């Protein structure tokens, strides 16, 4: 039997000072209505913002023409770079080529491949021409078995041009899903039986005589892009992102994360551009503040994190963005590699996470390493946002930040808190909020209330009910909550977070079951990296082996029992669990390409497992306490 690693939570370093950084004032005014509705309005008004995002490209191409805007690894292992002046020139040439085609919001550009300079060139060319584009998760083309989501969104968007950097890699998806009359473009490669326009040809275009007029005609309501988000059915919704949304949100970011004004940001980033965090927040933040972004081809998983480490050994970020899994994967390297640790923390003003809660173990460990290297804790920031809010809506402060805390709405955003079964549902209104979903008026209508506030579907709760200036904590997704047979409400979000924390490092996520049942149970998604900490002999990618491994089941049962001992009632007491032995399906909508779990879809598609959980004589693979 292998020795179990020490996964105890490091002591919080609250005694060490935070690195001092410039930060905005989150003060809000509060209005309470007789029906229990609460309005939070930032006291500091939002400043002016540009009409179009490419106005900032013009600014920096003039002010710092030779500064690197973006860099990516080339075939030799060096960095391919593009400056602000080069980006502007390339954007104008590509925009000229696009204006010569019959493209519009009705026939937009769809980009199938992931983050790359070529992707950015086409996107900025589209922005410059005022033609909407939609970046699509590569998983829809490369992982999906039936192209269900890709086929659906092609019919929803009716693109006039579809781009993939490597036509050979995406050939099957392009051939099957792109109509014959729709143009295909690529950086290189071919699609059997189809003409493919090369990106180099677009870049070689002569300047269109109407280019400047077309650029000047772009206004606040011009659609900049469509970003896809999954609904409860798993089918993508195309969130309209206007120039106003993106530009206003960047001013919100700049005024809140005020340290961005002190030094142009340098970012090493892998977060996908088909999501709002990577594609709006980080790309926009880089451009708006004259920064430089180094594209990280790594991923927070075995075989991928090594590339991230390689990049961070060369580039010192001023602000670092990641998801909790990314920080968790990076942590052992920072701990064991002094040179990497020194490079990472050298000029790091802040870290930022989104997408899930960051475990105390990871957070405290990062604090410990930062103090060891610099004498300061580096502020770890987070908040609340959505694709529909471009995404920045609520933010913590460096002093208030902790896992589960969301802070207060930032300047320009009004928050409306509506009572719902003992919780407060949060809603948003501001210039960064979408006008709706493209060609889906029913979904648009249902997403807003009678006062025009966007309904997140999330609940938040005050840290101090008597002092809302202390900010708010996340209180779960309203739609995920359910009642037991007794009529007792189960608050899924907080219960899920407690369960994952208690079962660390074994559990990546959990689906909570029990609708109209007598007790709560769980379908457990194992964390492959965490399981290998317990048993290093396990394979990297075989869930069936992990779910049946005696060491893993024993380690899980120990943590499960400790969790159960902390339960206070039927709504927080999980008594049965199954370790899932097969991956969740992107085609069935059980999981998004970014790893978010659709609880309802999993419960619907795995009803047989739910029946097994509640069987009077549970099968051997059901873990009961």
């Amino acid at each position: 039997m292998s020795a179990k690693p020490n996964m105890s939570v490091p002591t919080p370093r609250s005694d060490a000072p935070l690195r001092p950084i410039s930060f905005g004032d989150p003060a809000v005014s509060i209005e309470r209505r007789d029906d229990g509705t609460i309005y939070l309005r930032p006291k500091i008004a939002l400043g002016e913002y540009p009409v179009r995002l490419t106005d900032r490209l013009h600014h920096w191409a003039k002010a710092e023409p030779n500064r690197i805007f973006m860099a990516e690894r080339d075939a030799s292992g060096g960095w391919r770079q593009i400056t602000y002046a080069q980006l502007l020139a390339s954007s104008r040439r590509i925009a000229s080529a696009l204006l010569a085609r019959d493209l519009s919001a009705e026939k937009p550009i769809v980009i199938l491949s992931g983050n790359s300079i070529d992707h950015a060139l086409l996107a900025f060319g589209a922005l410059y021409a005022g033609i909407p584009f939609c970046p699509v998760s590569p998983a829809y083309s490369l992982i999906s078995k039936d192209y269900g989501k890709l086929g659906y969104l092609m019919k929803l968007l009716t693109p006039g041009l579809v781009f993939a950097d490597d036509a050979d890699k995406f050939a099957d998806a392009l051939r099957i899903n792109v109509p014959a009359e729709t143009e295909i473009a690529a950086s290189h490669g071919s699609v059997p039986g189809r003409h493919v326009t090369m990106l180099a040809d677009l870049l070689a275009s002569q300047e269109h005589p109407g280019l400047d007029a077309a650029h000047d005609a772009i206004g606040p309501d011009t659609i900049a892009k469509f970003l896809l988000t999954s609904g409860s059915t798993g089918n993508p919704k195309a969130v309209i992102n206007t120039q106003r949304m993106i530009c206003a949100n960047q001013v919100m970011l700049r005024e809140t994360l005020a340290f961005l004004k002190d030094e142009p940001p340098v970012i090493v980033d892998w977060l996908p551009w088909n999501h709002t965090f990577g594609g709006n927040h980080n790309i926009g933040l880089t451009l708006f503040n004259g920064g430089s972004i180094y594209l990280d081809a790594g991923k927070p998983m075995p075989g991928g994190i090594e590339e991230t480490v390689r990049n961070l050994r060369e580039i010192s970020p001023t602000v670092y963005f990641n998801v909790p899994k990314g920080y968790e994967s990076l942590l052992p390297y920072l701990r064991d590699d002094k040179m990497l640790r020194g490079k990472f923390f050298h000029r790091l003003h802040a870290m930022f996470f989104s997408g899930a809660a960051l475990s105390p173990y990871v957070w405290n460990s990062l604090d410990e390493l930062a103090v060891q290297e610099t004498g300061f804790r580096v502020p770890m920031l987070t908040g609340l946002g959505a694709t529909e809010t471009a995404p920045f809506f609520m933010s913590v402060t460096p002093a208030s930040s902790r896992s589960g805390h969301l802070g207060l709405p930032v300047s320009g955003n009004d928050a409306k808190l509506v009572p719902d079964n003992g919780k407060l549902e949060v809603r948003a209104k501001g210039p960064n909020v979408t006008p709706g979903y493209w060609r889906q008026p029913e979904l648009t209508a249902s997403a807003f209330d009678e006062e025009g506030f966007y309904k997140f579907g999330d609940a938040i709760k005050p840290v101090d009910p008597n002092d809302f200036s202390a900010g708010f904590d996340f209180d779960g997704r309203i739609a995920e909550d359910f009642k037991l047979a007794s009529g007792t409400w189960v608050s899924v979000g907080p219960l899920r977070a407690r369960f994952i924390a208690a079962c660390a490092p074994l559990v990546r996520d959990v689906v909570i079951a029990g609708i109209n049942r007598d007790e709560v149970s769980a379908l457990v998604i194992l964390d492959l990296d965490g399981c290998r900490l317990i048993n290093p002999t396990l394979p990297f990618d075989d869930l069936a082996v992990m779910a049946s491994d005696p060491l893993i089941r024993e380690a899980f049962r120990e943590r499960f029992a400790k969790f159960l001992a902390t339960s206070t009632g039927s709504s927080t007491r999980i008594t049965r669990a199954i370790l899932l032995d097969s991956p969740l399906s992107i085609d069935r909508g059980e999981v998004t390409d970014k790893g978010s779990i659709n609880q309802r879809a999993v419960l619907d598609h795995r009803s047989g497992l739910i029946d097994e959980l509640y069987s009077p004589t549970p099968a051997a693979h059901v873990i009961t306490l």
Side-chain angles (χ1 to χ4, degrees), residues 394-477:
M394 293 180 74
S395 176
V396 302
T397 66
S400 71
S401 185
R402 55 179 169 75
S403 196
H405 186 55
L406 304 175
L408 290 163
V410 300
S411 295
N413 278 286
D414 289 352
K416 178 180 178 181
L417 311 183
V418 180
D420 188 319
N421 290 310
K423 292 190 173 187
L424 291 172
E425 180 201 350
V426 62
R427 302 176 182 181
K429 181 186 280 188
N432 56 311
V433 175
T434 182
Y437 304 107
W438 185 245
R439 294 174 172 168
Q440 294 176 310
E442 300 85 1
L443 292 176
T444 298
S446 65
F448 295 87
D449 68 13
E450 67 284 352
E451 292 185 291
F453 280 81
Y454 167 69
K455 297 185 286 188
F456 276 91
D458 292 329
I460 62 176
K461 60 183 177 182
V463 173
D464 182 349
N466 299 314
D467 181 14
F468 283 1
S469 65
F472 290 79
D473 290 348
F474 183 66
D475 201 23
R477 295 281 298 167

Side-chain angles (χ1 to χ4, degrees), residues 270-271 277 300 321-328 352-356 358:
W270 67 269
L271 293 161
F277 189 6
F321 302 95
N322 216 324
V323 295
K325 177 62 176 174
Y327 286 108
E328 181 183 323
F352 195 105
F353 75 93
S354 181
L358 186 64

Side-chain angles (χ1 to χ4, degrees), residues 466-496:
N466 299 314
D467 181 14
F468 283 1
S469 65
F472 290 79
D473 290 348
F474 183 66
D475 201 23
R477 295 281 298 167
I478 295 290
E480 291 178 349
D481 294 349
F482 61 85
K483 283 183 179 181
L484 295 170
S486 63
T488 302
W489 275 100
V490 176
S491 182
V492 169
L495 179 60
R496 176 171 158 262

Side-chain angles (χ1 to χ4, degrees), residues 247-332:
C247 293
N249 206 232
Q250 285 301 321
V251 174
M252 295 172 187
L253 274 165
R254 181 174 165 85
E255 295 304 315
T256 303
L257 312 183
F259 59 87
L260 295 172
K261 303 176 188 178
D262 300 334
E263 180 182 1
V266 175
I267 298 171
V268 180
D269 195 48
W270 67 269
L271 293 161
W273 296 346
N274 55 285
H275 297 144
T276 188
F277 189 6
N280 277 3
H281 190 287
N282 293 358
I283 288 290
L285 178 149
T286 303
L287 176 72
F288 210 86
N289 298 283
S292 303
I293 183 167
Y294 290 79
L295 304 188
D296 176 16
K299 292 290 185 291
M301 61 184 66
I305 190 63
E306 293 82 1
E307 178 65 17
T308 295
V309 170
R310 175 194 182 196
N311 295 330
L312 290 173
R313 284 196 180 110
E314 295 185 26
I315 310 298
S316 292
T318 61
V319 58
Y320 190 66
F321 302 95
N322 216 324
V323 295
K325 177 62 176 174
Y327 286 108
E328 181 183 323
S329 298
L330 187 60
L331 185 57

Side-chain angles (χ1 to χ4, degrees), residues 587-625:
D587 289 326
R588 294 199 301 254
E590 294 180 327
V591 61
T592 69
D593 59 289
K594 63 180 179 180
S596 300
I597 308 298
N598 185 327
Q599 296 262 331
R600 292 298 173 91
V602 176
L603 294 174
D604 288 345
H605 290 293
R606 312 232 175 190
S607 58
L609 289 179
I610 305 302
D611 291 339
E612 290 182 35
L613 278 168
Y614 290 100
S615 171
T617 54
H621 65 112
V622 177
I623 298 173
T624 60
L625 293 176

